[in-house]
């Protein structure tokens, strides 16, 4: 496992590429080389350039190991090359993903840091609290990373916030909590703008156009709401049959055609976002008392996920085959997201890793899924 907190607060290393992918990651030598934090310039990649070989070649390109506990959540900015993390050591950290540099660290000892997401501004985030929820009720905070200032408190949730997402089109955002409620907020107003009370552990996500949001409930029910008239109730409901585990994460693909569900039993499902039909599903090794995360690639053609055995897996959705399986080198990856505009993803536990293509890796044939639903390896099972 990668770790260690020696004199160097950050340990980074970078892979140098030749041949096909050398234009993706161009390494620049600084005038005064710093072996601990070398500078790189990462070129953007069109989603159409992703293929099985590119995904299969992903390797660790940078490691940040100076966290004082597990990383609770990560988020990419939609338009800028920025990543933000929230971790158990009460820190919020901002990274430039194009150069793999830590830009800023702020600490929030009074409230703690748990779920986090960017607003539209690259220097402001929404962060959920860990401490004093009963006494202060300040379950969510609107933070400025520029001057380490709290711009607004949002009171309402009485228990841990488990899901947090920003509307892609306006200043609205949503949160769901173990208090069995989903709350709709506006960054400009302290008061909650709407409440949905649901059974179980609700999880929520906007589609990429901000017109629809999905709510996952107990019993495998997925309800779709019009974000402009959610008070009228869901306009559609899907059922994921055969799995009684609660959904702990839900995501839409960028094209809005698919939804990605991750359950507390480490089952992953890709659904048709219009009809609710199950396109494919995969079962991973369990991780008792902790949850994993899965992510779409920007083109919506691949899914990457962690697993309870400390591995990472990638699947081609259309072909329904496993493209690759990697050792995460960080134990169970609690957080995993693919960058919106880059050929990279991040995986995190108590350590943060940046994964990028390595064209020096040999290519191998993908593992086909058994038509009867058998596992392609001892780690992964198709649903």
């Amino acid at each position: 496992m990668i770790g260690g907190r020696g004199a160097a607060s950050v340990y980074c290393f970078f892979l140098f590429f030749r041949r096909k992918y050398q234009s993706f990651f161009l390494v620049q030598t600084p005038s005064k080389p710093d072996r601990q934090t070398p500078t790189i310039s990462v070129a953007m990649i069109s989603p159409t350039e992703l293929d099985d070989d590119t995904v299969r070649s992903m390797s660790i390109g940078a490691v940040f190991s100076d966290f004082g506990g597990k990383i609770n959540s990560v988020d990419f900015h939609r338009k800028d090359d920025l990543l933000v993390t929230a971790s158990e050591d009460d820190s919020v950290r901002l990274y430039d993903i194009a150069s793999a540099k830590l830009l800023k660290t702020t600490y929030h000892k009074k409230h703690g840091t748990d779920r986090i997401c960017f607003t539209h501004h690259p220097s402001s985030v929404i962060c959920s609290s860990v401490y004093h929820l009963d006494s202060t009720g300040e379950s969510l905070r609107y933070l400025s990373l520029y001057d380490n200032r709290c711009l607004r408190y949002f009171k309402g949730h009485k228990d841990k916030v488990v899901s947090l997402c920003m509307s892609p089109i306006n200043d609205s955002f949503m949160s769901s909590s173990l208090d069995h409620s989903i709350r709709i907020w506006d960054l400009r107003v302290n008061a909650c703008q709407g409440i949905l009370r649901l059974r179980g552990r609700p999880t929520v996500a906007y589609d990429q156009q901000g017109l629809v949001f999905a709510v996952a409930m107990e019993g495998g029910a997925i309800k779709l709401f019009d974000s402009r008239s959610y008070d009228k109730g869901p306009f559609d409901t899907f059922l994921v049959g055969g799995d009684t585990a609660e959904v702990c994460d839900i995501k839409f693909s960028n094209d809005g055609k698919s939804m990605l569900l991750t359950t507390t039993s480490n089952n992953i499902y890709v659904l048709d976002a219009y009809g609710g039909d199950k396109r494919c599903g995969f079962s991973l090794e369990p991780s008792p008392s902790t949850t994993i995360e899965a992510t779409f690639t920007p083109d919506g053609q691949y899914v990457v996920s962690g697993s309870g055995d400390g591995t990472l897996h990638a699947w081609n959705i259309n072909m329904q085959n496993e493209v690759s399986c990697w050792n995460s080198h960080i134990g169970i990856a609690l957080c995993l997201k693919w960058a919106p505009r880059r050929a990279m993803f991040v995986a995190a536990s108590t350590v943060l890793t940046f994964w990028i293509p390595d064209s020096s890796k040999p290519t191998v044939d993908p593992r086909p899924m058994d038509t009867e639903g058998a596992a392609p390896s001892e780690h992964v099972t198709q649903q």
Side-chain angles (χ1 to χ4, degrees), residues 120-260:
H120 297 292
H121 194 283
S123 295
S124 62
V125 297
I126 307 161
C127 186
S128 68
S129 302
V130 178
Y131 315 126
H132 314 302
L133 291 179
D134 292 336
S135 58
T136 68
E138 296 168 347
S139 54
L140 296 164
R141 290 159 291 134
Y142 178 20
L143 304 176
S144 167
L145 301 182
Y146 174 75
D147 52 6
N148 193 21
R149 191 163 55 95
C150 183
L151 304 176
R152 181 166 282 113
Y153 293 101
F154 300 97
K155 298 182 180 182
H157 287 302
K158 302 301 182 183
D159 207 336
K160 176 185 173 71
V161 171
V162 294
S163 182
L164 187 62
C165 57
M166 186 78 200
S167 167
I169 59 173
N170 55 37
D171 287 327
S172 298
F173 69 97
M174 292 188 297
S175 57
S176 67
S177 167
L178 295 180
D179 64 9
H180 313 300
S181 73
I182 290 174
R183 292 178 178 261
I184 295 95
W185 312 85
D186 189 307
L187 285 175
R188 301 163 294 182
V189 183
N190 294 77
C192 177
Q193 302 298 293
I195 304 176
L196 299 173
R197 300 197 182 277
L198 305 164
R199 303 186 309 274
R201 168 190 172 137
T203 303
V204 66
Y206 281 105
D207 76 339
Q208 296 301 316
Q209 293 182 320
L211 302 178
V212 172
F213 65 83
V215 175
M217 301 169 50
E218 68 177 3
I222 310 297
K223 296 183 179 292
L224 298 183
F225 293 80
D226 186 328
S227 60
R228 298 159 296 184
S229 55
Y230 57 84
D231 55 319
K232 297 180 180 178
F235 65 83
D236 208 348
T237 301
F238 306 148
L239 293 176
V240 183
D243 193 340
T244 58
E246 290 183 307
V247 174
C248 58
D249 186 48
I250 183 169
K251 293 181 175 73
F252 281 90
S253 59
N254 282 345
D255 60 12
K257 295 180 179 179
S258 301
M259 286 189 295
L260 177 63

Side-chain angles (χ1 to χ4, degrees), residues 73-74 249 251 262 268 291-295 304-306 333-337:
S73 59
V74 302
D249 186 48
K251 293 181 175 73
T262 307
I268 296 170
T291 58
I292 61 171
E293 185 173 9
T295 183
V304 181
S305 173
L334 309 175
C335 307
L336 195 149
K337 279 189 171 69

